[in-house]
Amino acid sequence: QQQVRQSSQSLTVWEGETAILNCSYENSAFDYFPWYQQFPGEGPALLIAIRSVSDKKEDGRFTIFFNKREKNLSLHIKDSQPGDSATYFCAASGEDTNAYKVIFGKGTHLHVLP
Amino acid sequence: NAGVIQTPRHKVTGKGQEATLWCEPISGHSAVFWYRQTIVQGLEFLTYFRNQAPIDDSGMPKERFSAQMPNQSHSTLKIQSTQPQDSAVYLCASSLDAGTEVFFGKGTRLTVV
């Protein structure tokens, strides 16, 4: 059972467009949702995160929209740049006995064409 | 702060041999994680330690995989009798506290031939 699902394995946009990466989750106990960015040969690195008490988190060109009722969230990358080409992982963890454990989706490969 | 350090970066083993992967977490972090990354499965959780104690190994293939954390400065992941399907990038990560940023190492790419 995939607890965190990313709807697209791959996404291609043109430079300057807004890339939208979608994610859904199963466990209602999840309350912390980070997005990680990974470049080839590197480990994933935290990009932006949201807690379930909020419905939006913005950091520069990156925005998370969160819908607790529908158990889904999306990462919007405004004015996409070729340097944004990477794999993006949606992740989740919860305030339960296993609060440290972070579950990742399978990732979305974003390609930004110049 | 050098971040999470994993050694070696690449390892090639013959089928049936043993492989040991090393991880040095960020000093002061209480949780240490191991993940396996493949194209097909993405990032799979294997196991984690908190304050050196094993907490959750639900992702570990039980028979040939084992992980240890003998002290707060390093953890090892050992795979016995390696099989071609064990080929993957193994990522170690650490975090300061629950619900905080998890920092990843660059990974060890294991190839079983």
Side-chain angles (χ1 to χ4, degrees), chain A:
Chain A
Q1 182 191 10
Q2 188 73 17
Q3 291 196 59
V4 177
R5 282 198 186 88
Q6 294 184 243
S7 57
S8 303
Q9 201 170 6
S10 182
L11 175 67
T12 300
V13 299
W14 292 101
E15 182 175 359
E17 291 185 332
T18 296
I20 301 175
L21 290 72
N22 295 306
C23 177
S24 62
Y25 62 97
E26 301 281 333
N27 190 343
S28 299
F30 287 152
D31 64 356
Y32 173 65
F33 301 89
W35 283 85
Y36 281 77
Q37 180 188 55
Q38 185 181 31
F39 295 105
E42 301 288 325
L46 179 68
L47 181 65
I48 185 172
I50 193 168
R51 297 195 185 272
S52 60
V53 293
S54 302
D55 55 15
K56 181 180 174 182
K57 177 74 177 290
E58 194 168 351
D59 184 357
R61 295 186 296 110
F62 302 93
T63 304
I64 299 174
F65 292 94
F66 178 71
N67 186 324
K68 187 171 184 176
R69 189 169 58 89
E70 299 292 329
K71 288 196 250 180
N72 61 46
L73 61 158
S74 60
L75 172 68
H76 292 225
I77 306 175
K78 269 192 310 190
D79 187 25
S80 297
Q81 302 296 310
D84 296 330
S85 297
T87 301
Y88 293 81
F89 292 96
C90 174
S93 65
E95 254 194 33
D96 54 14
T97 55
N98 231 339
Y100 280 80
K101 182 176 173 181
V102 182
I103 303 297
F104 288 82
K106 291 194 176 185
T108 296
H109 299 274
L110 175 66
H111 305 274
V112 181
L113 302 176

Side-chain angles (χ1 to χ4, degrees), chain B residues 17-96:
Chain B
Q17 290 186 328
E18 183 177 286
T20 300
L21 313 180
W22 298 76
C23 171
E24 182 180 331
I26 293 173
S27 176
H29 281 194
S30 62
V32 175
F33 307 84
W34 285 96
Y35 288 85
R36 177 169 64 183
Q37 184 173 21
T38 60
I39 302 269
V40 174
Q41 296 297 332
L43 265 173
E44 292 178 278
F45 169 83
L46 294 176
T47 186
Y48 88 95
F49 299 83
R50 185 179 167 202
N51 295 325
Q52 295 175 238
I55 302 297
D56 183 338
D57 67 353
S58 59
M60 293 275 273
K62 291 292 182 252
E63 291 186 351
R64 299 181 294 105
F65 284 59
S66 62
Q68 294 184 327
M69 192 160 184
N71 57 59
Q72 62 185 11
S73 63
H74 91 270
S75 174
T76 58
L77 179 68
K78 186 177 292 186
I79 308 172
Q80 294 178 311
S81 185
T82 53
Q83 303 297 311
Q85 62 265 30
D86 299 332
S87 296
V89 175
Y90 290 83
L91 290 160
C92 178
S94 68
S95 71
L96 188 62

